[in-house]
Amino acid sequence: MGAHHNDRHDAPDGHGRALRLGVGGPVGSGKTALVAALCRGLGRSMRLGVVTNDIYTTEDADFLRRAGVLDPERILAVQTGCCPHTAIRDDIAANLDAVETLEERFGPLDLVIVESGGDNLTATFSRGLADAQIFVLDVSGGDKVPRKGGPGVTTADLLVVNKTDLAPLVGADLAVMARDAEAVREGRPVLFTSIREDGGAPGVADWVSGVVHSWRHRHGHIHDHADGPVEIPMPLDLA
Amino acid sequence: MDAALLLLADSRLPAGGHAHSGGIEEAVRAGAVTGPGDLARFLRGRLATAGLVAAALAAAACELGSTCDIGSARELGSAVIDAPAPSANARRRPADLASESTAPEPAGGPPEPIVLWRRLDAEADARTSSPAQREAARTQGRLLVRTARRIWPSPVLETLARAVPEGAHHPIALGAAAAAAGCDPGQAALAAAYASVTGPATAAVRLLGLDPVAVHRLLADLAPSLDETARAARTATRTAARPERGAADADSRWTPCPDGEGTADPDLAGPEVAGDAWWAALPAAAAPALDLLAENHLKAATRLFVS
């Protein structure tokens, strides 16, 4: 949540380790599709790892492995015991273990993406687990969702509104969603995507690149003891 | 340290326990547990077997951590403190008492506390016949050590992390964490007994939609048994740690943790005569049904819980 929050970033020292990016959001909004798109978009320029938090199966991990976007061994699945939000917020031990396992096996890495199991609008990642987080909504949940807010929508470093191609079919007004999101997010960025139609999410990938670059700049040097929050670039693209 | 015990046993301790069902998920799938009556019997059986064994191992680990390790671990110096965090990577190699840790060890073999932790962990392995349960116990232990190292920094936990980098069995980790938190072995046993039934009970509430108050009533009914199990476990560790003099030849010359006196005769103390022969006398109650549930659980197509 970085640049717009004054509270200290109390994650363990980040020197030399990968940026940890949380991707959360309701079931079916396109989290896994976004993660796959990010792997495709960033896989050539960055060393990646992915941790999935499937609710009931290893479906997301399997999907990503089948998609061929990343070496299957770089994708780990974590079970969450019926409580996906617990695993990313209240008890992050298993996810941290998975992240560090990936870093030890394949490190050094630039970016480890932790995909939450689908959850509700209050689910956010602990700062002990994620250095930055993306919340993914889709238009088919209705254009009122951004106005309803909730910590995921209001405080995520980036809000992604996916499936814009469905807007006319479900009567969702993208302008309303953009306006409401801007109001509740106090200037934090929002990106509208149609991952299926566009075959990717280049805008989101660019944003992530910026965050990773900033992280590397701040934490890449062993003698650099700056320990502030991640500097998050702030594109406000309401295309 | 009663307050420390409450913190250690609290289900909110962020050490990954919430994702383990202790066999309940598979028991529910198999139709063996369908309601509060079945659950009560399941918990009672689990406490009498896995719970008792875990309690005894936790008490032994707490005793080892409390009386034997701190001074020796400090002597190990930065090599221990700089040891890497336990990680799942280490699981790729088999648990082997003679194998090298990820950190270089001094010439002449690993230091004694390292050897003792490995031997106690091997006792846990010997009491866990299902590979799936071993894996689950090591995962939980690894996560607990990871968490406890930051909450209760202690040479005890650093030594254990170095001794068993793939993750010690959960009861061993719990006993070491209890020692680091200032709890005594009896309290460590109680925490282990408590965890052996509260985890599955909570999982059953989630899986079957049971009335949470009714399930807590079941746990309250079990409370005297929990106390009794912890007492029995503690008694077992005292017995195991105090063999009759002369009863075990060379082994009896060395006492692992006699009433906080530390390691005994320096001429005799050493890995070759360590107290594992006495730990072998700790309870080893088997629960084949739990073993089968754990194995079948791993094969299930869909799983909410790790175990």
Side-chain angles (χ1 to χ4, degrees):
Chain A
M1 299 176 214
H4 293 273
H5 282 236
N6 293 327
D7 36 353
R8 277 187 60 77
H9 187 279
D10 59 2
D13 190 329
H15 298 304
R17 68 161 169 81
L19 178 98
R20 297 165 184 177
L21 174 70
V23 176
V27 176
S29 59
K31 294 182 297 299
T32 308
L34 177 63
V35 171
L38 289 176
C39 290
R40 271 194 298 271
L42 300 171
R44 284 190 187 158
S45 58
M46 286 184 200
R47 298 160 293 187
L48 300 177
V50 172
V51 178
T52 64
N53 285 209
D54 286 299
I55 295 187
Y56 200 61
T57 62
T58 54
E59 184 134 347
D60 291 344
D62 294 343
F63 173 85
L64 287 173
R65 289 176 183 133
R66 276 199 310 273
V69 293
L70 200 61
D71 173 2
E73 291 193 344
R74 289 177 180 241
I75 302 166
L76 292 183
V78 166
Q79 275 105 11
T80 58
C82 302
C83 293
H85 53 274
T86 302
I88 61 165
R89 187 182 59 202
D90 310 272
D91 183 352
I92 57 177
N95 270 315
L96 275 181
D97 188 58
V99 168
E100 291 182 9
T101 297
L102 284 172
E103 292 214 69
E104 284 172 30
R105 276 185 201 164
F106 302 107
L109 299 177
D110 300 304
L111 173 67
V112 179
I113 301 173
V114 181
E115 181 193 341
S116 166
D119 212 311
N120 59 50
L121 298 178
T122 67
T124 52
F125 284 81
S126 158
R127 290 156 195 241
L129 175 61
D131 303 303
Q133 50 193 302
I134 297 175
F135 199 78
V136 185
L137 290 177
D138 72 287
V139 302
S140 62
D143 57 17
K144 295 187 188 66
V145 173
R147 187 159 68 243
K148 289 179 182 171
V153 170
T154 60
T155 68
D157 299 302
L158 174 67
L159 178 67
V160 171
V161 181
N162 189 31
K163 305 189 188 178
T164 51
D165 52 307
L166 296 182
L169 303 175
V170 298
D173 186 333
L174 295 181
V176 166
M177 296 185 89
R179 186 196 65 207
D180 291 346
E182 190 179 358
V184 299
R185 285 176 54 74
E186 298 173 354
R188 279 182 283 277
V190 182
L191 291 174
F192 285 75
T193 60
S194 174
I195 296 170
R196 173 186 283 260
E197 208 160 67
D198 300 342
V204 182
D206 285 348
W207 181 88
V208 173
S209 279
V211 176
V212 171
H213 184 77
S214 163
W215 173 263
R216 249 193 233 141
H217 181 69
R218 295 179 69 84
H219 297 282
H221 305 289
I222 197 95
H223 297 300
D224 174 10
H225 287 284
D227 192 26
V230 194
E231 275 174 19
I232 310 281
M234 302 293 295
L236 191 65
D237 179 357
L238 303 180
Chain B
M1 299 290 273
D2 292 341
L5 173 64
L6 294 177
L7 283 170
L8 185 65
D10 193 334
S11 66
R12 286 167 288 194
L13 182 77
H18 72 99
H20 292 261
S21 83
I24 272 286
E25 183 172 33
E26 189 58 27
V28 167
R29 192 195 330 271
V33 172
T34 57
D38 299 332
L39 178 61
R41 285 187 286 278
F42 180 95
L43 296 178
R44 200 167 287 283
R46 197 169 199 285
L47 178 61
T49 53
L52 174 65
V53 171
L57 290 167
C62 184
E63 193 163 51
L64 178 60
S66 303
T67 61
C68 296
D69 236 18
I70 292 178
S72 311
R74 287 208 176 105
E75 286 167 21
L76 295 177
S78 59
V80 169
I81 304 303
D82 293 341
S87 85
N89 283 347
R91 280 177 288 173
R92 288 182 295 180
R93 68 173 173 72
D96 176 358
L97 296 186
S99 72
E100 290 297 315
S101 164
T102 50
E105 284 167 348
E112 186 177 76
I114 299 275
V115 172
L116 290 176
W117 282 116
R118 287 178 184 167
R119 290 191 173 179
L120 185 54
D121 189 65
E123 292 294 339
D125 237 14
R127 286 162 175 74
T128 313
S129 47
S130 145
Q133 282 198 329
R134 288 185 183 185
E135 177 84 12
R138 289 196 181 283
T139 299
Q140 285 195 83
R142 190 173 68 248
L143 299 192
L144 177 57
V145 168
R146 153 196 289 287
T147 296
R149 282 170 107 184
R150 287 181 60 201
I151 301 175
W152 297 287
S154 158
V156 174
L157 292 166
E158 302 304 319
T159 309
L160 177 58
R162 180 175 167 195
V164 196
E166 72 270 34
H169 278 255
H170 182 258
I172 309 300
L174 184 58
C183 296
D184 63 45
Q187 290 176 317
L190 186 58
Y194 174 83
S196 77
V197 291
T198 52
T202 306
V205 169
R206 294 187 212 159
L207 290 165
L208 290 167
L210 301 179
D211 175 356
V213 180
V215 171
H216 243 71
R217 169 63 193 266
L218 292 181
L219 292 171
D221 290 343
L222 274 177
S225 301
L226 288 175
D227 287 331
E228 181 50 42
T229 301
R231 270 195 298 274
R234 180 64 183 125
T235 303
T237 53
R238 284 187 203 281
T239 312
R242 286 182 190 155
E244 287 183 23
R245 287 280 160 189
D249 297 325
D251 280 352
S252 68
R253 293 175 298 177
W254 190 87
T255 309
C257 305
D259 297 330
E261 291 163 13
T263 52
D265 189 341
D267 292 327
L268 298 174
E272 70 280 8
V273 288
D276 57 328
W278 304 331
W279 285 327
L282 293 175
L290 288 178
D291 294 341
L292 289 172
L293 288 173
E295 292 300 318
N296 288 337
H297 185 257
L298 263 196
K299 294 174 195 147
T302 59
R303 292 187 290 145
L304 284 163
F305 290 83
V306 182
S307 69

